[in-house]
Amino acid sequence: MSTASDLTYLDNNATTCVDPAVVAEMLPWLTRNYGNPSSGYRFGKRVNDALELARERVAALLGCEPGEIIFTSCGTESSNAAIHSALAMDRDRQHIVTTRVEHSATLKTCELLAKRGHPVTWLGVNSNGQIDLGELERAISDETALVSIMWANNETGVTFPIGEIADIVRGKGAVFHTDAVQTVGKIPFALRDMKVNLLSLSGHKLHAPKGVGALYVNRRTKFVPWMTGGGQEGSRRAGTQNVASIIALGKACEIAAQQIGHEATAVKKMRDDFENGILSRVEGVQVNGDRVNRLPNTTSLAFAGVESEAMLMLLDQRDICCSAGSACTTGQHEPSHVLRAMGYDDTRARGSLRFSFGRFNTPADVARALEIVPETVEKVRRVAAAA
Ligand SMILES: *Cc1c(COP(=O)(O)O)cnc(C)c1O
């Protein structure tokens, strides 16, 4: 096993390293400040004050009120809670509208709900990875409880026009949830200017630890708790809070707000230099999805005549981390549901790799990847041709 410093980590959409400043912020809350934030004495209240500061920091990044933030255990929990809340509001509204390219947190939840009898409309995407807004509007009826559409796709980085989508959904009287796990910290926005009801985010995608997330619930949106028990989080999410990780998430959001310009410039430049470098050095490569409406850090590339599983194995031997499809589907040999939904055939889907950059990458990582990835493609193609 190599140490992290030898590693060229180009898989920041799977998870990110915890920022050292975030680790420093959280440590005292794992050691001396171990009080329960719900306790009435000052040793507990001090912990509660730190939680409230974290809530303010998350709200500042999202452009909303601190009272609109509920801390959860992960992005997946946030989306589950959002979906179940929307379905619990009105017996006569049980229809769900979502897309075929969602993360499994939404996809599998909606598949399960469909099995249990909820009507679900699955919106398809075009070869750019975009949905048709007219089709979305027509799909919503007065039986629609919820529209759940991700903001940015974890596999391709393609972003949907969430402001416009929220206007359409609210115009039709349904609740709108967006999975913004890949967007938060990468693209600036302000929820106070948008008609989003519910939004999910996750700590470990923005340099906070794994196992912490948040759900934004607009203050005028009714919310029915998914996890019941104690009165934590304003009785909206029971269970003693993961204090240190929440404080870490707050710090990570504060840093993300300061660094968001860097995403649009330095991180985007690394992604673009890598993408253009691959396109000029390797024959038979295509970019998957919309290159304009896209996260600044992600590129999904289809390599003709290559099996991504073989590429991943050889790149791993050279200490380069990237992924084929989403991390959740690696290990299975199913081609990515996202690339299939975009109309690409199995061969293109199976020959695709995702490279995702972050602010801890350096131009030296790009240079190293531009040396090793083309060599590896050539090797895999030689073996495939000989077989
Ligand atoms: C990672 C991810 C999730 C899941 O977040 P967890 O905190 O790992 O549960 C959900 N949606 C998207 C788009 C993601 O990239």
Side-chain angles (χ1 to χ4, degrees), residues 258-278:
Q258 295 157 358
Q259 293 280 331
I260 208 152
H262 185 79
E263 290 282 333
T265 52
V267 175
K268 182 174 184 296
K269 184 175 187 319
M270 286 189 278
R271 189 277 309 271
D272 289 343
D273 287 350
F274 173 75
E275 187 175 272
N276 293 328
I278 293 293

Side-chain angles (χ1 to χ4, degrees), residues 210-234:
K210 294 155 190 67
V212 64
L215 176 65
Y216 157 84
V217 181
N218 179 278
R219 65 193 172 284
R220 282 185 290 271
T221 301
K222 202 176 144 215
F223 181 74
V224 180
W226 189 44
M227 190 100 103
T228 51
Q232 293 90 353
E233 299 296 294

Side-chain angles (χ1 to χ4, degrees), residues 16 30 98 108 114 117-118 145 170 269 291 303 340 347 380:
T16 58
L30 286 170
T98 187
K108 297 284 172 186
H118 291 269
R170 298 300 299 137
K269 184 175 187 319
R291 287 179 78 174
F303 296 88
R340 292 292 287 120
T347 314
V380 171

Side-chain angles (χ1 to χ4, degrees), residues 13 74-76 103 105 150 152 154 179 181-182 202 204-205 212:
N13 286 10
C74 59
T76 301
H103 184 273
M150 71 198 318
N154 45 299
D179 169 353
V181 170
Q182 290 294 346
S202 171
H204 74 104
K205 306 290 173 78
V212 64

Side-chain angles (χ1 to χ4, degrees), residues 1-8 319:
M1 236 348 243
S2 57
T3 60
S5 60
D6 300 326
L7 204 65
T8 303
D319 295 313

